[in-house]
Amino acid sequence: MSQNTPYKTFLPEDRIPRQWYNLRADMPELPEPLLNPGTGKPMTLQELEGVFCTELAKQELDDTSRYIDIPEPIQQFYRMYRPSPLVRAYHLERKLGTPAKIYYKYEGGNTSGSHKLNSAVPQAYYAKAQGLTSLTTETGAGQWGTALAMAAGFFEIDLTVYMVKVSYEQKPQRKGVMETFAANVIASPSDTTNVGRGILAKYPDTGGSLGCAISEAVEKAVSTPGCRYVLGSVLNQVLLHQSVIGLEAKAALDMLGEYPDIVIGCTGGGSNLGGLICAYMGDKLTGKGDAHFIAAEPASCPSFTRGVYAYDFCDTGCITPLAKMYTLGSGFIPAPNHAGGLRFHGMSPILSKLYHDGYMEARAYEQTNVFEAARMFARCEGTLPAPESSHAIRAAIDEALKCKETGEAKTILFGLSGTGYFDVMAYDRFNNGLMDDYIPTDAELQQSFDTLPKVPR
Ligand SMILES: Cc1ncc(COP(=O)(O)O)c(C=O)c1O
């Protein structure tokens, strides 16, 4: 194996971004604004402040500041676990026999195990700086809840996490970690909110969904003094914070003299993908580069590839603002056999707009196919990938195999957004041949689309 470029590239600590990059400032057409479901009018700062803390509400609405300074206490926290490594997947390349050069940006090396910490830190910091006393959130697979528990623990602010019941039962380890960082973890749906009680009355055996956990967390936040709700994906502010991934990746690839032909990220609500692609997408939007972008999503929750571009609620209980996004309908719940995250019914409005305008491709993968890629990657590269990230691995392998056929030596960058250490049960199911695929039928999706809200004018 000839290694002209190092296996791992770490930026020096002083090259960790000091500003976030706001992709909206370079978009020729902006994503549609969040709407107040009651009036049909764009959400104002004042309205958003009732749910989010003020600084984050401002970031949500800021379509023009290209760069936003990262406050020093957040930079200090970032230095505890960033920069994350950019890795050249030499062993995978050799195994595939491809002329392609494969790089991945690994965000799973912190205790929370994923990229989610990049947004958890600012969200907890701004809440504390505003004098709030508590936060609520939802978590699906547990990565976001764990990340926020770490950040809330560090900035000493109380946190209640509504964890999707199926994950709560399948991943007791996650709960243990969150509680160690002093979070209060509740299985959702629960009897602690009106929404939760309503859902339990209707579907007593439900394993829950992210949309339902969001409803409970929002209800709790707006009914508790000094409390706000924080969300780990989808929102503009979250993609802004995640821009550190893409900025670091570009700085490291620049150091190596590389520019990717293809950038691939897995996507649930879009924060990892939005963060990873931001710098190269910015280049594309401003005519400085022409990378090809691929969003990799699960076939069991195919928001981009089979969803509709429409205004929808971000939660099952229909209490959040309306977002214009690719959505499967807020009542959509992925089949219970679906492993890992990427189970949100909608997609970031920024990414939805970019996809709608033709700047990005999306592909949906069945989970057994994804786990085959994960296993190959683990054996070659010595890192157990998160099932979510493995959707991107699948796409990267497929692209590298295409290069093998055509003889092209393309440069591929993908996001390894997390570790698979908390997903051993899913690996166990896969290894024992117990994992299967479920793809929703058109009729099932239509049933969900039929419940899309009518937007008042
Ligand atoms: C490791 C990992 N990657 C990706 C995702 C998808 O979320 P998002 O689309 O917000 O990046 C998750 C969500 O749980 C995750 O845990």
Side-chain angles (χ1 to χ4, degrees):
M1 176 168 62
S2 82
Q3 287 194 203
N4 296 327
T5 44
Y7 182 71
K8 277 206 218 77
T9 303
F10 284 100
L11 291 173
E13 207 169 270
D14 62 3
R15 297 279 312 275
I16 299 173
R18 291 170 189 208
Q19 292 182 310
W20 292 299
Y21 170 50
N22 184 5
L23 187 58
R24 280 168 287 168
D26 284 322
M27 286 173 70
E29 282 181 37
L30 287 171
E32 305 291 336
L34 292 175
L35 297 185
N36 178 322
T39 63
K41 299 231 166 66
M43 291 290 288
T44 62
L45 178 62
Q46 213 181 4
E47 286 169 333
L48 280 177
E49 276 176 326
V51 185
F52 305 120
C53 75
T54 305
E55 207 48 44
L56 295 168
K58 284 186 188 157
Q59 291 178 358
E60 193 59 33
L61 297 177
D62 186 342
D63 292 332
T64 53
S65 310
R66 184 168 283 108
Y67 291 100
I68 292 176
D69 288 341
I70 304 177
E72 178 56 30
I74 299 174
Q75 288 190 41
Q76 284 176 15
F77 196 122
Y78 279 173
R79 282 198 282 276
M80 288 199 280
Y81 71 98
R82 305 203 68 80
S84 68
L86 177 82
V87 185
R88 173 82 185 264
Y90 280 113
H91 303 286
L92 182 63
E93 289 171 17
R94 195 180 43 193
K95 173 84 182 165
L96 296 172
T98 177
K101 291 185 267 183
I102 307 176
Y103 290 91
Y104 61 92
K105 179 80 171 151
Y106 183 43
E107 291 290 317
N110 65 75
T111 293
S112 78
S114 83
H115 66 295
K116 299 276 176 179
L117 196 53
N118 300 327
S119 184
V121 176
Q123 297 211 47
Y125 166 76
Y126 285 123
K128 183 70 178 184
Q130 191 177 321
L132 300 173
T133 46
S134 63
L135 295 172
T136 65
T137 197
E138 78 295 330
T139 196
Q143 275 91 339
W144 166 245
T146 309
L148 192 63
M150 287 174 71
F154 184 80
F155 290 112
E156 299 184 347
I157 186 162
D158 288 346
L159 172 65
T160 298
V161 179
Y162 286 92
M163 185 169 187
V164 177
K165 196 194 257 168
V166 61
S167 301
Y168 183 94
E169 285 162 0
Q170 283 176 0
K171 301 186 177 183
Q173 318 90 331
R174 281 275 164 179
K175 179 169 163 283
V177 179
M178 286 186 263
E179 287 174 349
T180 303
F181 288 102
N184 174 29
V185 186
I186 297 173
S188 169
S190 74
D191 61 3
T192 65
T193 62
N194 288 329
V195 177
R197 284 187 289 271
I199 292 174
L200 280 176
K202 222 165 148 188
Y203 309 104
D205 297 326
T206 179
S209 71
L210 262 192
C212 162
I214 294 174
S215 299
E216 290 206 88
V218 173
E219 182 184 322
K220 188 77 180 168
V222 296
S223 58
T224 309
C227 184
R228 291 291 188 284
Y229 164 69
V230 290
L231 179 62
S233 188
V234 183
L235 296 171
N236 299 338
Q237 51 182 286
V238 183
L239 267 73
L240 176 76
H241 306 147
Q242 294 295 353
S243 65
V244 293
I245 307 173
L247 293 171
E248 275 186 13
K250 184 161 189 309
L253 282 171
D254 283 351
M255 267 169 46
L256 302 176
E258 293 276 28
Y259 198 96
D261 298 293
I262 305 171
V263 186
I264 303 169
C266 69
T267 189
S271 74
N272 155 68
L273 178 68
L276 175 76
I277 67 173
C278 69
Y280 293 112
M281 182 60 88
D283 276 3
K284 187 166 183 125
L285 297 176
T286 54
K288 294 187 210 116
D290 194 22
H292 180 70
F293 301 95
I294 302 175
E297 66 179 11
S300 56
C301 190
S303 323
F304 265 142
T305 49
R306 293 176 69 202
V308 291
Y309 189 41
Y311 266 108
D312 195 7
F313 290 99
C314 300
D315 66 323
T316 312
C318 304
I319 57 176
T320 61
L322 296 169
K324 177 94 183 259
M325 57 187 175
Y326 276 85
T327 178
L328 299 169
S330 62
F332 180 82
I333 297 181
N337 75 344
H338 170 98
L342 312 185
R343 47 172 59 243
F344 186 60
H345 65 274
M347 193 55 70
S348 137
I350 294 177
L351 294 182
S352 292
K353 177 70 181 155
L354 290 168
Y355 179 63
H356 194 68
D357 290 350
Y359 290 104
M360 227 165 50
E361 185 196 348
R363 292 182 195 167
Y365 294 101
E366 291 155 29
Q367 65 178 351
T368 47
N369 196 6
V370 165
F371 272 80
E372 270 159 26
R375 184 165 59 188
M376 175 190 263
F377 180 84
R379 289 181 185 175
C380 293
E381 290 290 321
T383 294
L384 189 73
E388 296 88 353
S389 323
S390 304
H391 291 71
I393 298 176
R394 177 73 270 165
I397 290 176
D398 289 352
E399 287 303 307
L401 288 174
K402 270 192 216 160
C403 287
K404 185 176 176 177
E405 274 174 29
T406 62
E408 288 172 291
K410 287 189 179 170
T411 301
I412 299 170
L413 167 67
F414 75 87
L416 189 63
S417 52
T419 171
Y421 260 114
F422 291 97
D423 298 281
V424 284
M425 277 174 63
Y427 275 101
D428 203 43
R429 268 201 293 146
F430 174 68
N431 291 333
N432 289 299
L434 300 174
M435 180 173 279
D436 51 11
D437 298 311
Y438 183 79
I439 300 180
T441 62
D442 287 344
E444 277 168 319
L445 292 185
Q446 191 54 50
Q447 217 178 1
S448 189
F449 297 148
D450 289 344
T451 64
L452 283 171
K454 308 252 173 312
V455 181
R457 285 172 192 272

